[in-house]
Amino acid sequence: MREIPVSVFSVFSKHPWKKLFLSLSVLTPTIVSSFFLFPLSSRAAESVVIRQGFIYATVSVKDLKEFAETGKVPLGLLGYFSFLTPEQKQQALAALNIKIKIQDETVDEIVNSQVGTRILTDIDTIISSDQSQGGTAIKEAILSSAKSPQGLSVINFLENYPLSTIEINVPKAFEVLKRLNQGFWQTQRLLLEVLPKFPTGEVKPPAITFDPTQPGAGKVDITRIELQDKQRNRNIPVYIYSSSAATPDKPLILYSHGRGSDYQELRYLMEHLASYGYTVIVPEHPGSNATYVDKNLFLSPTEIIERPQDLIFTLNELEKLNTNDPRFKGKFNTNNTLVFGYSFGGVTALALAGGEFQIDELRKNCDQSFITFSLGKATQCLAAELPKDRYQFSDPRIKRAISFAPTASVIFGKTGLNKVQVPTLILTQSADKVTPALPEQIAIFPQIKTEKLLLGVLGATHLSVRDPRTIADQTWIPITPISGGEVIGDASKDVRNYAKTIALATAAQLTPDAEKYQVFLTPEYYRSISTQAFPVRLITDIPPETQVFIEELLKTQD
């Protein structure tokens, strides 16, 4: 059985807010999805009952354990496995053999947290037992199996389940499956509606004089400095991407990384921009970077409002360095800043662009079954504990904004993005399970009333745009409604080329070369470079008939 050290939780995608849910995602969607591949069992009765009305079936945990250890189907499972395809059998075997090595106190913290308790209670609704006590039995099984030398696994969970039987209510289990990561499935439904309406056929490429995906002439260096915000007691490491091509007329680019990540998550893109003469500033958020989450399971609810303040503080300090430090004198064009963020950082960027955090509206949207949430929405819901109802961090030095795959479905309420004051670009990826395209990006796009663009990449996942050098091994992650299936590395090169092009062209709009780069911000250009692997479209508005369909889809999650 494969052992997974706890450190992997913080690096498997560099988004360790998944740490909160990973044990549960392995023992939740994987198990729930597997109810119909292989039924579960319990320690006392050594079997589980799968029931639909008066029809039921029973399977021995001993047989499941034998299958997990040998890969051979025992006689007692032959009747069930005869209905499975070879691929489904391999999925069942892989799920049974996932083994997580994690400290007891970490598991205890997860299952006893407010969020963990809510998820376990939701899972418990599929177990038809008067004795399960709202997830208590599940919690006990997880805690007990985590203490075993083998670590937390499906088999250990089954062997440590404390009641005489686990009786799975099939209709309720199917209901849970339908609701897992509802936003992702709504996105796929939207695609079925809009894809047939996409223009087809070849498009004459616009006339261009150079390839924006190729590096610029400048040789790139990375400099690290440390800033100390004494008022907020935050030490902020800042990484400066700059090159020999830098000129004072170029805007400053200020970047906010995702949760549990660092300054390298889009390193290829930062280096690309720097090679064209842009100075790119990447502060690491000390309450949500990789260093922090390696030591702390949970973020503070205040982190969502600390992050925009990190960026504002960084700009303030750069202004001082611009005047007082010989190393940087005249290098930081802080009054002409492009703010840029990815995932959780995409929300931070939108806040500096003028977006208002509407926590009172968020609380209403977060008072639902957690099991329906994407991991991105669950992250936003941490903000429900903030004391105030509204927060704004608009900064007049921000002139444009880029937000890649932001997790923004509930944090801005219904009108918070009406207050965005600068031209804004949003990138959305259709196969993103972490920040599903429909609720997190497409649905919020109409709120923005300024000049805006939405770049949609079909088939791209959450990590497709990431620097492949910063992504850890993904093969062990089970494919469930909330995890797995990431398209990364060489396979997603097209996505990174789209990112290079549109980020470079967006930055150039704040320079005298704006007109030269305008062609790279046209729908025609993206149709002309769209690939079969990753079709891409750029739009300025959502068509009215599509907007009506979107609103109807979103009603299904209320």
Side-chain angles (χ1 to χ4, degrees):
M1 300 177 77
R2 188 170 187 181
E3 293 194 2
I4 303 168
V6 68
S7 60
V8 172
F9 285 91
S10 63
V11 298
F12 81 95
S13 69
K14 303 294 183 183
H15 284 275
W17 37 267
K18 290 186 179 180
K19 283 177 70 176
L20 170 61
F21 300 104
L22 193 56
S23 294
L24 296 180
S25 72
V26 171
L27 289 171
T28 304
T30 301
I31 289 179
V32 171
S33 301
S34 302
F35 285 153
F36 312 106
L37 294 177
F38 50 89
L40 305 183
S41 184
S42 67
R43 177 177 59 181
E46 297 183 346
S47 62
V48 66
V49 176
I50 308 296
R51 181 179 294 278
Q52 182 165 3
F54 294 107
I55 303 172
Y56 67 92
T58 304
V59 171
S60 165
V61 71
K62 180 181 177 182
D63 287 340
L64 289 174
K65 187 174 183 179
E66 181 181 341
F67 171 62
E69 292 176 347
T70 68
K72 298 178 181 179
V73 181
L75 183 62
L77 294 180
L78 284 176
Y80 300 102
F81 274 74
S82 63
F83 295 101
L84 302 183
T85 66
E87 182 182 3
Q88 288 173 322
K89 292 176 184 177
Q90 287 302 313
Q91 289 175 348
L93 183 62
L96 285 171
N97 278 289
I98 291 172
K99 184 179 179 183
I100 304 169
K101 299 289 287 185
I102 186 169
Q103 294 180 346
D104 295 350
E105 56 267 26
T106 303
V107 177
D108 187 78
E109 188 178 0
I110 293 171
V111 299
N112 285 302
S113 69
Q114 181 181 11
V115 173
T117 299
R118 287 180 64 177
I119 293 175
L120 291 176
T121 302
D122 288 339
I123 300 167
D124 193 60
T125 62
I126 69 174
I127 298 176
S128 304
S129 172
D130 295 334
Q131 306 175 60
S132 60
Q133 300 173 349
T136 301
I138 297 171
K139 181 188 297 186
E140 183 177 333
I142 291 174
L143 290 171
S144 297
S145 58
K147 293 177 182 178
S148 71
Q150 293 79 25
L152 184 60
S153 70
V154 173
I155 295 296
N156 278 346
F157 171 82
L158 301 178
E159 291 181 328
N160 284 280
Y161 193 79
L163 302 180
S164 58
T165 59
I166 298 179
E167 185 171 305
I168 305 302
N169 184 309
V170 173
K172 287 187 177 180
F174 272 119
E175 183 182 343
V176 167
L177 284 173
K178 285 195 301 182
R179 294 164 58 217
L180 284 172
N181 204 356
Q182 201 169 46
F184 173 75
W185 300 116
Q186 288 172 330
T187 302
Q188 310 318 304
R189 179 68 185 88
L190 174 65
L191 292 178
L192 291 175
E193 172 71 14
V194 302
L195 283 179
K197 301 175 183 178
F198 271 22
T200 58
E202 292 187 6
V203 178
K204 183 179 179 181
I208 58 174
T209 58
F210 67 99
D211 182 354
T213 67
Q214 295 303 304
K219 180 182 178 183
V220 178
D221 291 314
I222 303 174
T223 303
R224 184 186 189 277
I225 62 175
E226 189 93 15
L227 302 179
Q228 185 177 17
D229 187 339
K230 295 180 180 178
Q231 184 175 350
R232 294 186 301 134
N233 192 29
R234 284 170 79 88
N235 294 322
I236 303 174
V238 176
Y239 295 84
I240 304 168
Y241 292 80
S242 61
S243 79
S244 54
T247 57
D249 64 322
K250 295 284 176 69
L252 188 72
I253 299 177
L254 181 63
Y255 180 78
S256 176
H257 62 74
R259 182 174 179 177
S261 192
D262 59 27
Y263 74 100
Q264 298 191 89
E265 71 177 9
L266 292 185
R267 180 170 177 165
Y268 75 94
L269 185 50
M270 305 297 102
E271 291 177 337
H272 186 68
L273 294 168
S275 75
Y276 279 85
Y278 297 94
T279 299
V280 184
I281 307 298
V282 187
E284 286 198 7
H285 301 287
S288 52
N289 63 359
T291 302
Y292 179 89
V293 299
D294 279 344
K295 300 175 181 177
N296 302 273
L297 181 61
F298 299 106
L299 299 189
S300 166
T302 61
E303 183 62 14
I304 200 162
I305 59 174
E306 295 288 2
R307 290 168 64 94
Q309 294 178 80
D310 289 343
L311 298 190
I312 293 169
F313 176 78
T314 298
L315 282 179
N316 294 340
E317 292 301 300
L318 292 179
E319 287 184 345
K320 297 175 186 176
L321 293 174
N322 222 18
T323 303
N324 303 326
D325 193 319
R327 296 174 299 167
F328 306 115
K329 195 167 185 178
K331 289 189 175 181
F332 304 134
N333 192 0
T334 54
N335 287 320
N336 190 25
T337 297
L338 165 68
V339 68
F340 186 178
Y342 166 64
S343 195
F344 197 35
V347 171
T348 308
L350 291 171
L352 257 69
E356 179 184 63
F357 291 158
Q358 297 187 346
I359 308 303
D360 50 345
E361 292 295 322
L362 175 142
R363 293 187 189 106
K364 298 174 187 175
N365 282 290
C366 292
D367 189 22
Q368 302 171 21
S369 170
F370 258 53
I371 205 165
T372 68
F373 293 176
S374 69
L375 297 173
K377 182 176 178 180
T379 297
Q380 295 171 76
C381 287
L382 295 174
E385 298 179 32
L386 290 172
K388 293 170 59 177
D389 287 342
R390 303 288 169 108
Y391 295 87
Q392 272 200 283
F393 300 98
S394 178
D395 192 303
R397 295 169 292 190
I398 304 302
K399 305 305 185 205
R400 276 187 177 261
I402 298 176
S403 185
F404 279 7
T407 176
S409 58
V410 294
I411 190 69
F412 295 105
K414 295 180 180 178
T415 60
L417 290 174
N418 292 171
K419 300 186 178 184
V420 168
Q421 301 169 1
V422 299
T424 299
L425 164 71
I426 292 179
L427 171 97
T428 186
Q429 303 171 113
S430 72
D432 190 335
K433 295 178 182 178
V434 177
T435 61
L438 174 58
E440 302 295 345
Q441 296 108 40
I442 298 171
I444 67 165
F445 187 65
Q447 277 195 41
I448 301 173
K449 304 305 180 184
T450 60
E451 177 187 335
K452 61 188 177 183
L453 291 170
L454 180 69
L455 185 71
V457 186
L458 299 179
T461 61
H462 192 67
L463 301 182
S464 293
V465 75
R466 283 282 299 270
D467 192 313
R469 297 168 293 183
T470 70
I471 302 174
D473 177 33
Q474 299 283 299
T475 58
W476 66 272
I477 300 173
I479 297 178
T480 76
I482 66 170
S483 67
E486 290 287 349
V487 183
I488 57 176
D490 290 342
S492 62
K493 183 179 179 181
D494 293 343
V495 182
R496 295 192 296 279
N497 280 337
Y498 299 152
K500 287 180 183 179
T501 300
I502 202 154
L504 182 63
T506 300
Q509 299 311 297
L510 297 175
T511 75
D513 288 333
E515 187 174 349
K516 173 183 174 183
Y517 283 86
Q518 183 60 41
V519 65
F520 303 119
L521 295 176
T522 62
E524 295 77 17
Y525 178 75
Y526 287 92
R527 279 192 64 193
S528 73
I529 66 169
S530 181
T531 67
Q532 186 173 0
F534 294 101
V536 62
R537 293 293 185 272
L538 182 69
I539 63 172
T540 56
D541 288 292
I542 296 173
E545 64 275 13
T546 303
Q547 185 60 38
V548 170
F549 185 76
I550 288 171
E551 290 171 2
E552 288 300 316
L553 269 181
L554 292 174
K555 287 178 183 178
T556 64
Q557 68 180 4
D558 293 337

